[in-house]
Amino acid sequence: MTAIGTSVARADGPLKVTGQVQYTVDTQLPGMLHAKVLRSPYPHARVLAVDATAAAARPGVVVLTAADLTNLDHAFGVALRDQPIVAIDRVRFVGDPVAAVAADTPEAAEAALEFIDVEYEPLETVMDPEAAAADDAPVLHPVERPRAPMFVGWPAERFRGSLNVCSGYHVEQGDLDAGFASADHVFEDTYRVPPIHHGNLEPHAAVASWDHRGHLNVISSTQSPSIVRLQLAEIFGLTENQVRVVVPYVGGAYGSKVYAKIEPLVAAIARKAGRPVRLVLTREEVFATAARHACTVHIRTGVRNDGTIVAREVRAFYDTGAYADTGPRASKKGGYLAGGPYRIEHQSLTSYCVYTNKAPAVAYRGFGVPQVVWAYESQMDDIAARLAIDPLELRRRNLIRDGDTFVTGDVLRNPGLDEALEAVAEAGDWGSPVPEARPGFAIGRGVACAIKSTSTPSNSAASVRLNADGSVHLLTSSVEIGQGSTTALAQVIAETLSIPVSRVTVSLPDTDVTPFDQSTISSRTTFSVGRAATDAAAKIRQQLMSLAASQLEAAVTDLDVDEGSVFVRGSRDRSLTFAEIIRRHFGSPAGSLFGDSVFQTRGGLDPLTGKGKASATWFYSAAAAEVEVDLETGKARVLRIATSADVGKAINPAQCHLQNEGSMLTALGSALFEEVVYDAGQPTNSSFLDYGMPSLEDHPLEFHSILVEHPSEDGPFGARGVGESVISPVAPAIGNAVAAALGGARVRELPISPERVLAAVDQQPEARA
Amino acid sequence: MTAIGTSVARADGPLKVTGQVQYTVDTQLPGMLHAKVLRSPYPHARVLAVDATAAAARPGVVVLTAADLTNLDHAFGVALRDQPIVAIDRVRFVGDPVAAVAADTPEAAEAALEFIDVEYEPLETVMDPEAAAADDAPVLHPVERPRAPMFVGWPAERFRGSLNVCSGYHVEQGDLDAGFASADHVFEDTYRVPPIHHGNLEPHAAVASWDHRGHLNVISSTQSPSIVRLQLAEIFGLTENQVRVVVPYVGGAYGSKVYAKIEPLVAAIARKAGRPVRLVLTREEVFATAARHACTVHIRTGVRNDGTIVAREVRAFYDTGAYADTGPRASKKGGYLAGGPYRIEHQSLTSYCVYTNKAPAVAYRGFGVPQVVWAYESQMDDIAARLAIDPLELRRRNLIRDGDTFVTGDVLRNPGLDEALEAVAEAGDWGSPVPEARPGFAIGRGVACAIKSTSTPSNSAASVRLNADGSVHLLTSSVEIGQGSTTALAQVIAETLSIPVSRVTVSLPDTDVTPFDQSTISSRTTFSVGRAATDAAAKIRQQLMSLAASQLEAAVTDLDVDEGSVFVRGSRDRSLTFAEIIRRHFGSPAGSLFGDSVFQTRGGLDPLTGKGKASATWFYSAAAAEVEVDLETGKARVLRIATSADVGKAINPAQCHLQNEGSMLTALGSALFEEVVYDAGQPTNSSFLDYGMPSLEDHPLEFHSILVEHPSEDGPFGARGVGESVISPVAPAIGNAVAAALGGARVRELPISPERVLAAVDQQPEARA
């Protein structure tokens, strides 16, 4: 293989480092207006009246309120259509859109917002997901919605909680009571993670225009062109060919741009204005549009003296904020993965997705999984400490292995988890003495590992076209969000056709011309789109061989392909370049050959049992961290970290390593610094200045990225995907290292702030070094 | 059929009548520069020196001269690569590009042009094609080029003429001498047409930019995205996937924008500037970029007393101007069609394509054919007059019929020529008394008919994609030049899939995503692209039926498709909508189905005999005109005209009629008004003010458009194409009417100007009424 496994330079690299690339925020259309959004100052309130008369009277100003939307079914959402384009009669978080204005300049639009009068009646708020699930909690969406189908694996009679519980998931195996009865030790703890911010540098941005055929054109920084098209078609009563979604290069997303976000609003106001309208969110508004799910995880684990985990019960409350968005899906995934990558005979795993008066929680790298990994991998080290078993050894004894059946019923094939775990342990000098700390500091080491699934079922189509000169185009709706998809997809095609990577051009999404793709999410692009692209390219390879067979008067079975030519095996001088084959076939250096393919992953979980086929492939990862803690201030600093992911096959090793490094630094931020803080329902740190993302100074002095390659069954060339793998184990590895440094004093709520470190030490004075 | 044969409103109509459509000239790119071209003031001169130092020293100015192009094989041209991007050592017509400048504004670029010093040494010029073919003519391209392969049907030993003859075509059948010996009468005349202007409202425009991967992006108002990509790849040494040609709606072309015109220059200067560059030609420059071939046609015809044409010899000199462009192809087509749509036993047809010091002649509606039709259909009425046979009857006696073999060897199937001719005769009241003219005026009637072929071989690919809701996209590189292709192509797909036309979206060309199409030329789009689209849609229909068969548990053979559903024949309640079929197949309302097809027409003429298969389909047309001539001024005015074309099958009757009307008015202009005038090599009327295109006031008071439908063998639903059919017979019908009004006094050179009418009358005084 020449293209696969090679760290080909990124196709988009030169465009990006020279600033030549155009993002959605750079879009300019003739006659384009600029939108601004009037947002709720209350975390929860009834909207009694919206008077936009004065604003609408200003020259050049177009105002959108709920009154404009009565002829649309304008609540949207892929799991539950619960999110209005602008508030109808109620606002549910600080930042909830109430009205929007379009004007010639952003400043004019901003100025007009002040002329909209809104009368509110404040309502009681609820900010904690577990409290929100209680029967007496204030209810955010009082209209009874059809919720039962969301309650996967959850017998109706077992349901309880308020209307704020918008979905639930439950799965079990074995006999939980018997399991705990057979345990020598039972550990019961509660772990918490706060809402955090994605930190996508390019804010949410979209430009919408309607043409005089009544077609809607949207340019958007979205991860989901195909689904956004579907959502907009539904909202505005159009067929899919009447909605065009174009996605330029995206300047970071990390889940924050999955499915419709601002697009329905921009489309609605453009429709009223009769002109193109652009909306680019401010950073404060990005904070009000997307967050990672806060989560409270109660975990109870029964263990034998030899370290065998025999029973585990998890109840996780996912805080989806004011609207469901993908919360039902993320909490389902976190639910069935809450037992971890371990053989546990008796399990009962339950997750709830609960509305609170926070900004909507949406997809975020890891999609519901890091929350439960934080819980089970932290608890694992408490168990190890109590049983006096080395934490690495404790994991070894319980790890899932090839052919094991997961709690969902999936059979796990060729997992690279043990290899990943051993690799980070070795890179992190696990078992060797911890370096001596400076006075007033303590150093500890921790490991953690994780398993994650991918969105299943899903569907990716690829259309490959061969030009007359043997160069190739791939049409795909997968989004280049900075992860390098355009490069990796070019590589799988180049390998399949034995041509240089430079001869392959990969499209950006344009739903009028690029075929369906589920979304650029769930580490699925290389696996699913890559597989579709490989299959499509193979069809072209097959056609070229068939044509060459008759042109060379040879049997197809005697032919092979190399360096852009078809040749007779064992007789290299009998060969034809692709260009020659085309020329002979069409009679001129002209014409196209086509290969299309759809890669459909099958699966899904039974609504009654929560079981079935959860995932088309699985991601395994591990991390080992060495952390220094300042015993006076409580500040933790990561000295060394090793991460490892089973990528199946590294299509582009350099990019896989970069994904690991990005995941590591993101997870380090969530471990030590990051939290969207609310005070009485008001967010208080919605800016990069106030919100503490890690900087390069926080980067560990020593970083190892290790790629494990246990080929998957269905991925192209065995690839699995790598975008999210390392997100999950990093925080608990750091948490375990901190606990180790502190002699077992454990912080159970992220981030591991200096205050929490000091508090943990205070609660366990014997831990102080 | 519901979609076919229906005058569906144009898909692009609302965009165009509201001004919402964007043309290439509307393109704005960030950092874009504007180009202007320094052009030769001499019709023929050696370029001794180009000094651009002063211009290049001006702030923000980038200059392109031949010195910048030494590393490119920068002469281009689809037939002969004889046209430099900017002059290398010689200029060949007034307007030949010598250098180009890019600057922040068009004004700054224009100003900089004056700082370029060019030293010329004027050379002898030649403006007449027949004179240019003479051995002692001044030679425009003194470098010996490989010309022989261009001389189709032309045994090398018969070639004569200067190096200015850049190609020739010859075909013969029977025994010419014997044929003429058997004739009772021989007619020998010379007919001439001048260069004329296309009158495309949108001038040539292109925007080029290079990205930092070294990929070239071009937005152009071209009729040939696929071929322009190929040409640019050749010039700049790129692979096809590294050149992207995007074509927005085109504001008129008529052949003037076929193949590369200004694109190589714009790409070259953008490459040097390192920024996007836009060039929009002025009207004067459009005149210097494209014209219809002037032509001198010598025609000798032998006829028996009963009107049977027994022998015809034609020698036509096509004036291709300074560069070959498509002249070799147009003159070949005019060559083999020079005998007309008649059974003539003995024929010898020869055409020459000759360089002169005029602006390049390029494709123009009719592509070399109107020139010879003007000759043979004018002469036909002289023959009729001499033999005292009604001109309509004379044609009837000689018309080709179903199954006849054409001079090229093609067998003509199901020609609608006789029906077309009879139809215009009837609509024009042929045979009834001509109305009495006002005093000082004379009224006459004339008919004419014609045959035209289509570019063969050619290749059109179509990619059809079905969305999850059953709506459809067609990806094609055919260009919407105002002819309504996006509407007609939507209709053939809608018909094939039994869905509303509004559910079909047709792409505009973007070579990165739309597949190969030969060019939007030669009345071939409905025929070739329409056929490819129909075949591609049929593949989707087949897939839907296969999927439905298993979903409905029925045999495919028992199924049918109607109104976007598949149903069991005879049991309409067992049916599934396309959306339901997709949902069941993919498990969600998501995913794409694909149908791709390539329609390749086979053919071509043998280089030695000029015979073979000339055309994949044939266009038949006729016109009848009634003209009033002012006997004092000589001014002719068309009172009534009827035109008829065999369209095979009218996909969209209203649009077919509009094509006929446009062709009629264009041809009327060429008949009565239009001529690009040169004075000592200098064009003197290169503006719409000076150049006399017909206005609405010149539109005949009565106009009939008649569509004949003799289905073609290969076109979609039997369609043949209609874009050029009526161009050819109109001018001779008008000429014949003028001659009839004048008692036989004939103008043999277009346009039929008042001066020429008076001169014709003077030469034949007995003709005066």
Side-chain angles (χ1 to χ4, degrees):
Chain A
M1 291 197 287
T2 58
I4 298 298
T6 305
S7 295
V8 176
R10 290 181 64 122
D12 53 344
L15 307 185
K16 287 180 172 171
V17 298
T18 59
Q20 205 176 29
V21 70
Q22 294 282 304
Y23 297 101
T24 299
V25 297
D26 300 312
T27 306
Q28 295 284 356
L29 294 181
M32 186 177 81
L33 302 179
H34 299 263
K36 287 286 177 182
V37 180
L38 184 70
R39 294 174 180 277
S40 168
Y42 294 97
H44 200 187
R46 219 179 293 281
V47 176
L48 301 178
V50 177
D51 182 356
T53 320
R58 294 170 67 86
V61 165
V62 177
V63 184
L64 179 85
T65 68
D68 296 305
L69 300 171
T70 45
N71 57 339
L72 306 178
D73 182 3
H74 82 291
F76 63 99
V78 286
L80 296 169
R81 293 183 65 173
D82 61 358
Q83 185 162 8
I85 291 176
V86 289
I88 298 172
D89 52 6
R90 181 187 287 246
V91 289
R92 297 177 176 89
F93 69 100
V94 173
D96 210 356
V98 176
V101 161
D104 287 330
T105 64
E107 294 73 22
E110 185 81 40
L113 290 183
E114 309 204 1
F115 292 81
I116 302 174
D117 287 326
V118 185
E119 197 181 335
Y120 296 100
E121 177 191 311
L123 296 170
E124 194 186 349
T125 65
V126 59
M127 301 301 289
D128 177 80
E130 203 166 353
D135 284 331
D136 58 349
V139 169
L140 276 76
H141 295 269
V143 179
E144 184 75 48
R145 293 180 177 276
R147 297 180 303 165
M150 305 304 306
F151 285 76
V152 173
W154 187 299
E157 64 271 20
R158 290 184 55 169
F159 169 66
R160 58 185 168 72
S162 74
L163 282 179
N164 291 326
V165 180
C166 69
S167 81
Y169 171 82
H170 176 74
V171 70
E172 59 188 46
Q173 72 180 20
D175 178 335
L176 199 68
D177 291 341
F180 278 109
S182 73
D184 299 315
H185 307 271
V186 173
F187 294 80
E188 185 162 5
D189 299 290
T190 296
Y191 289 86
R192 288 190 172 84
V193 303
I196 59 174
H197 178 67
H198 296 77
N200 47 297
L201 276 185
E202 184 196 32
H204 297 76
V207 184
S209 58
W210 293 77
D211 70 29
H212 287 302
R213 297 173 298 182
H215 287 204
L216 169 60
N217 295 280
V218 172
I219 301 168
S220 175
S221 179
T222 179
Q223 298 175 247
S224 312
S226 300
I227 303 292
V228 167
R229 177 175 70 160
L230 201 66
Q231 294 182 282
L232 292 171
E234 274 178 4
I235 293 170
F236 294 99
L238 301 170
T239 52
E240 289 187 61
N241 69 309
Q242 293 169 330
V243 180
R244 181 176 196 167
V245 178
V246 172
V247 184
Y249 289 104
V250 169
Y254 314 113
S256 68
K257 299 170 179 174
V258 176
Y259 307 135
K261 291 283 176 288
I262 64 172
E263 296 86 355
L265 184 148
V266 185
I269 194 163
R271 186 161 167 267
K272 185 170 182 191
R275 286 171 58 184
V277 175
R278 186 173 87 181
L279 174 61
V280 179
L281 296 190
T282 63
R283 180 56 48 183
E284 188 178 1
E285 287 179 299
V286 177
F287 272 84
T289 302
R292 185 170 85 172
H293 291 81
C295 193
T296 300
V297 184
H298 302 295
I299 179 167
R300 187 162 70 104
T301 305
V303 203
R304 294 219 190 93
N305 282 327
D306 66 358
T308 306
I309 306 174
V310 290
R312 172 161 283 172
E313 180 185 26
V314 179
R315 286 182 307 127
F317 291 85
Y318 284 83
D319 177 354
T320 198
Y323 299 104
D325 198 273
T326 51
R329 298 180 184 176
S331 57
K332 179 176 77 175
K333 180 161 294 189
Y336 67 74
L337 290 167
Y342 301 112
R343 295 169 157 167
I344 306 175
E345 196 174 347
H346 309 284
Q347 295 193 58
S348 168
L349 309 174
T350 307
S351 62
Y352 306 74
C353 181
V354 191
Y355 292 127
T356 67
N357 292 115
K358 296 202 184 91
V362 305
Y364 183 112
R365 256 176 147 174
F367 203 64
V369 179
Q371 290 91 331
V372 292
V373 179
W374 167 242
Y376 68 68
E377 284 297 272
S378 294
Q379 193 186 55
M380 201 71 172
D381 274 31
D382 285 346
I383 297 170
R386 176 96 65 89
L387 301 185
I389 300 174
D390 176 84
L392 176 63
E393 178 57 27
L394 178 64
R395 287 174 173 82
R396 284 183 187 132
R397 292 186 191 170
N398 289 285
L399 275 192
I400 50 119
R401 306 283 171 179
D402 190 23
D404 279 357
T405 300
F406 199 65
V407 63
T408 50
D410 294 68
V411 176
L412 303 180
R413 298 285 177 205
N414 196 23
L417 183 59
D418 50 354
E419 190 178 331
L421 190 60
E422 300 298 338
V424 295
E426 186 182 338
D429 294 328
W430 191 263
S432 74
V434 172
E436 193 174 339
R438 296 178 283 167
F441 289 81
I443 295 179
R445 290 191 184 137
V447 292
C449 62
I451 180 173
K452 187 186 174 292
S453 55
T454 189
S455 182
T456 306
S458 82
N459 182 301
S460 287
S463 192
V464 175
R465 211 181 70 235
L466 188 82
N467 296 318
D469 68 352
S471 61
V472 169
H473 294 269
L474 167 64
L475 275 60
T476 167
S477 292
S478 72
V479 182
E480 177 58 85
I481 50 177
Q483 86 282 43
S485 59
T486 49
T487 308
L489 294 172
Q491 287 179 262
V492 300
I493 290 173
E495 184 71 39
T496 306
L497 288 169
S498 295
I499 56 177
V501 176
S502 66
R503 295 230 181 123
V504 183
T505 293
V506 177
S507 75
L508 297 181
D510 172 350
T511 59
D512 260 15
V513 291
T514 55
F516 185 88
D517 182 44
Q518 200 79 36
S519 276
T520 299
I521 56 170
S522 204
S523 310
R524 65 182 293 286
T525 297
T526 298
F527 180 80
S528 286
V529 185
R531 169 64 185 274
T534 304
D535 292 350
K539 289 180 183 175
I540 287 185
R541 181 187 161 108
Q542 195 54 46
Q543 288 172 70
L544 288 165
M545 290 178 72
S546 295
L547 293 172
S550 67
Q551 293 170 3
L552 290 169
E553 297 181 348
V556 171
T557 49
D558 291 337
L559 298 180
D560 206 345
V561 171
D562 192 23
E563 292 184 4
S565 292
V566 178
F567 66 97
V568 181
R569 226 179 276 112
S571 156
R572 271 305 275 262
D573 55 325
R574 288 176 67 198
S575 84
L576 291 170
T577 66
F578 295 170
E580 285 165 344
I581 294 168
I582 293 273
R583 191 188 317 255
R584 290 177 183 211
H585 176 54
F586 289 126
S588 66
S592 301
L593 290 190
F594 295 92
D596 304 313
S597 197
V598 176
F599 181 64
Q600 167 79 26
T601 62
R602 309 274 169 183
L605 299 177
D606 183 274
L608 285 181
T609 64
K611 301 200 182 211
K613 181 169 173 56
S615 187
T617 189
W618 298 83
F619 309 120
Y620 306 101
S621 58
E626 184 176 292
V627 178
E628 179 189 65
V629 183
D630 183 328
L631 297 171
E632 185 175 351
T633 65
K635 184 172 158 50
R637 171 158 172 70
V638 180
L639 301 177
R640 307 165 65 189
I641 200 158
T643 64
S644 175
D646 178 8
V647 301
K649 172 69 190 176
I651 302 295
N652 186 314
Q655 301 226 38
C656 293
H657 287 302
L658 285 169
Q659 283 283 7
N660 277 359
E661 186 162 11
S663 294
M664 178 278 294
L665 203 57
T666 298
L668 184 151
S670 74
L672 298 182
F673 311 121
E674 297 187 41
E675 174 174 8
V676 177
V677 177
Y678 284 87
D679 179 2
Q682 296 287 339
T684 63
N685 64 344
S686 299
S687 75
F688 276 149
L689 198 64
D690 297 318
Y691 180 83
M693 297 186 74
S695 73
L696 268 187
E697 297 215 337
D698 300 305
H699 195 290
L701 301 175
E702 190 180 320
F703 169 63
H704 300 274
S705 163
I706 301 155
L707 306 179
V708 171
E709 293 186 321
H710 282 220
S712 74
E713 286 175 275
D714 293 326
F717 305 96
R720 291 180 186 271
V722 63
E724 303 166 289
S725 301
V726 161
I727 282 282
S728 290
V730 164
I734 291 171
N736 288 338
V738 169
L742 300 179
R746 179 164 296 280
V747 175
R748 292 194 169 83
E749 180 168 5
L750 291 181
I752 305 167
S753 63
E755 296 75 14
R756 290 197 176 113
V757 168
L758 295 181
V761 172
D762 282 348
Q763 286 171 13
Q764 191 171 345
E766 76 281 10
R768 190 176 287 273
Chain B
M1 290 197 287
T2 58
I4 298 298
T6 304
S7 295
V8 175
R10 290 181 64 122
D12 54 343
L15 306 185
K16 287 180 172 170
V17 298
T18 59
Q20 205 176 28
V21 70
Q22 294 282 304
Y23 296 102
T24 299
V25 298
D26 300 312
T27 306
Q28 296 283 357
L29 294 181
M32 186 178 80
L33 301 179
H34 299 264
K36 287 288 178 181
V37 181
L38 184 70
R39 294 174 181 276
S40 169
Y42 293 98
H44 200 187
R46 219 180 293 280
V47 177
L48 302 178
V50 178
D51 181 356
T53 319
R58 292 171 69 85
V61 165
V62 177
V63 184
L64 179 84
T65 68
D68 296 305
L69 301 171
T70 46
N71 57 341
L72 306 177
D73 182 5
H74 82 290
F76 64 98
V78 285
L80 295 169
R81 292 183 65 171
D82 61 358
Q83 185 162 6
I85 292 177
V86 290
I88 297 173
D89 51 6
R90 182 186 288 244
V91 289
R92 298 177 176 89
F93 70 100
V94 173
D96 211 356
V98 176
V101 160
D104 286 330
T105 65
E107 295 72 22
E110 185 81 41
L113 290 183
E114 308 202 3
F115 291 82
I116 302 174
D117 286 326
V118 186
E119 197 180 333
Y120 296 101
E121 176 191 310
L123 296 169
E124 195 186 347
T125 64
V126 60
M127 302 302 288
D128 178 78
E130 202 164 354
D135 284 331
D136 58 350
V139 169
L140 276 76
H141 295 269
V143 178
E144 186 75 46
R145 293 178 178 276
R147 296 179 305 163
M150 303 305 304
F151 284 78
V152 172
W154 188 301
E157 64 271 22
R158 289 183 57 171
F159 169 67
R160 59 187 169 72
S162 73
L163 282 179
N164 291 327
V165 181
C166 69
S167 81
Y169 170 82
H170 177 73
V171 71
E172 58 188 45
Q173 72 179 22
D175 178 334
L176 199 67
D177 292 341
F180 277 110
S182 72
D184 299 315
H185 308 270
V186 172
F187 295 80
E188 185 161 5
D189 300 291
T190 296
Y191 289 85
R192 289 189 171 84
V193 302
I196 60 174
H197 177 66
H198 296 77
N200 45 297
L201 276 185
E202 184 197 30
H204 298 76
V207 184
S209 58
W210 294 77
D211 70 30
H212 287 303
R213 296 174 298 182
H215 286 203
L216 169 60
N217 295 280
V218 173
I219 301 167
S220 175
S221 179
T222 179
Q223 297 174 248
S224 312
S226 299
I227 303 293
V228 167
R229 177 175 69 161
L230 202 66
Q231 293 182 282
L232 292 172
E234 275 177 4
I235 293 170
F236 294 100
L238 302 170
T239 51
E240 289 187 64
N241 69 309
Q242 293 169 331
V243 181
R244 180 176 197 168
V245 178
V246 172
V247 184
Y249 288 104
V250 169
Y254 313 114
S256 68
K257 298 171 179 173
V258 176
Y259 308 134
K261 292 283 176 288
I262 63 172
E263 296 85 356
L265 184 147
V266 185
I269 194 164
R271 185 163 166 266
K272 184 169 180 189
R275 290 179 46 190
V277 174
R278 185 174 88 183
L279 174 61
V280 179
L281 296 190
T282 64
R283 180 55 50 183
E284 187 177 4
E285 288 179 299
V286 177
F287 273 84
T289 301
R292 186 171 86 172
H293 290 81
C295 194
T296 299
V297 184
H298 302 296
I299 178 167
R300 188 162 67 105
T301 305
V303 202
R304 294 219 189 93
N305 283 325
D306 66 358
T308 304
I309 305 174
V310 290
R312 173 161 282 172
E313 181 185 24
V314 179
R315 287 182 305 127
F317 291 86
Y318 283 84
D319 177 353
T320 198
Y323 300 104
D325 198 272
T326 52
R329 299 179 185 177
S331 58
K332 179 175 77 174
K333 180 162 295 190
Y336 68 73
L337 290 168
Y342 301 113
R343 295 170 157 166
I344 305 175
E345 196 175 347
H346 309 285
Q347 296 193 58
S348 167
L349 310 174
T350 306
S351 62
Y352 307 75
C353 182
V354 191
Y355 291 128
T356 67
N357 294 115
K358 295 202 185 89
V362 306
Y364 183 111
R365 254 174 148 175
F367 202 64
V369 179
Q371 289 91 330
V372 292
V373 179
W374 167 242
Y376 69 67
E377 283 299 272
S378 293
Q379 193 186 54
M380 201 71 171
D381 273 31
D382 284 347
I383 296 169
R386 176 97 65 88
L387 301 185
I389 299 174
D390 175 85
L392 176 63
E393 177 58 26
L394 178 64
R395 287 175 172 82
R396 284 183 186 134
R397 291 186 192 170
N398 289 284
L399 276 192
I400 50 115
R401 305 282 171 180
D402 189 24
D404 279 358
T405 299
F406 198 66
V407 64
T408 51
D410 295 67
V411 177
L412 303 179
R413 299 286 178 204
N414 196 24
L417 183 58
D418 51 353
E419 190 178 331
L421 190 60
E422 299 298 337
V424 295
E426 187 182 337
D429 294 328
W430 192 261
S432 74
V434 173
E436 194 174 340
R438 296 178 283 167
F441 289 80
I443 294 179
R445 290 191 184 135
V447 292
C449 61
I451 180 173
K452 186 185 173 294
S453 56
T454 190
S455 181
T456 305
S458 82
N459 181 301
S460 288
S463 192
V464 175
R465 210 181 71 236
L466 187 82
N467 296 319
D469 68 353
S471 62
V472 169
H473 294 269
L474 167 64
L475 274 61
T476 167
S477 293
S478 71
V479 182
E480 176 58 85
I481 50 178
Q483 86 282 41
S485 59
T486 48
T487 309
L489 294 172
Q491 287 179 265
V492 299
I493 290 173
E495 185 71 40
T496 306
L497 288 169
S498 295
I499 56 176
V501 176
S502 65
R503 295 232 181 121
V504 184
T505 293
V506 177
S507 75
L508 297 181
D510 172 351
T511 59
D512 260 14
V513 292
T514 55
F516 186 87
D517 182 42
Q518 200 80 35
S519 277
T520 300
I521 55 170
S522 204
S523 309
R524 65 182 292 286
T525 298
T526 299
F527 180 80
S528 287
V529 185
R531 170 64 185 275
T534 304
D535 292 350
K539 289 180 183 174
I540 287 184
R541 181 188 161 107
Q542 196 53 47
Q543 289 172 69
L544 288 165
M545 289 178 72
S546 294
L547 293 172
S550 66
Q551 293 169 5
L552 290 169
E553 297 181 348
V556 171
T557 49
D558 291 338
L559 298 181
D560 206 345
V561 171
D562 192 23
E563 293 183 2
S565 292
V566 179
F567 66 96
V568 180
R569 226 179 275 113
S571 155
R572 271 306 274 263
D573 55 324
R574 287 175 66 197
S575 83
L576 292 169
T577 66
F578 295 170
E580 286 165 343
I581 295 168
I582 293 272
R583 192 188 317 256
R584 290 178 183 211
H585 176 54
F586 288 126
S588 65
S592 301
L593 291 189
F594 295 93
D596 304 312
S597 198
V598 176
F599 181 64
Q600 167 80 25
T601 62
R602 308 273 169 185
L605 299 178
D606 182 273
L608 284 181
T609 64
K611 300 200 183 211
K613 182 169 173 56
S615 188
T617 190
W618 298 83
F619 309 120
Y620 307 100
S621 58
E626 184 175 291
V627 178
E628 179 191 65
V629 182
D630 182 329
L631 296 171
E632 187 177 350
T633 64
K635 181 170 162 51
R637 169 157 174 70
V638 180
L639 301 176
R640 307 165 64 188
I641 200 158
T643 64
S644 176
D646 177 7
V647 300
K649 172 67 190 176
I651 302 293
N652 186 314
Q655 301 226 40
C656 293
H657 288 303
L658 285 168
Q659 282 283 6
N660 277 0
E661 187 163 10
S663 294
M664 177 278 294
L665 204 58
T666 297
L668 184 150
S670 75
L672 298 181
F673 311 122
E674 297 186 39
E675 174 174 8
V676 177
V677 177
Y678 285 87
D679 179 1
Q682 297 286 339
T684 63
N685 65 344
S686 299
S687 74
F688 275 148
L689 197 63
D690 297 318
Y691 180 85
M693 297 186 74
S695 73
L696 267 188
E697 297 214 337
D698 300 304
H699 196 289
L701 301 174
E702 191 180 320
F703 169 64
H704 300 274
S705 163
I706 300 155
L707 305 179
V708 172
E709 293 186 320
H710 282 219
S712 74
E713 287 175 275
D714 293 325
F717 305 95
R720 290 179 187 272
V722 65
E724 303 166 291
S725 301
V726 162
I727 282 282
S728 290
V730 165
I734 292 171
N736 289 338
V738 170
L742 300 178
R746 177 165 298 279
V747 176
R748 292 195 168 81
E749 180 167 2
L750 291 181
I752 306 168
S753 63
E755 297 75 12
R756 290 197 177 114
V757 168
L758 295 179
V761 171
D762 283 348
Q763 285 171 14
Q764 192 171 345
E766 78 280 11
R768 191 175 285 273

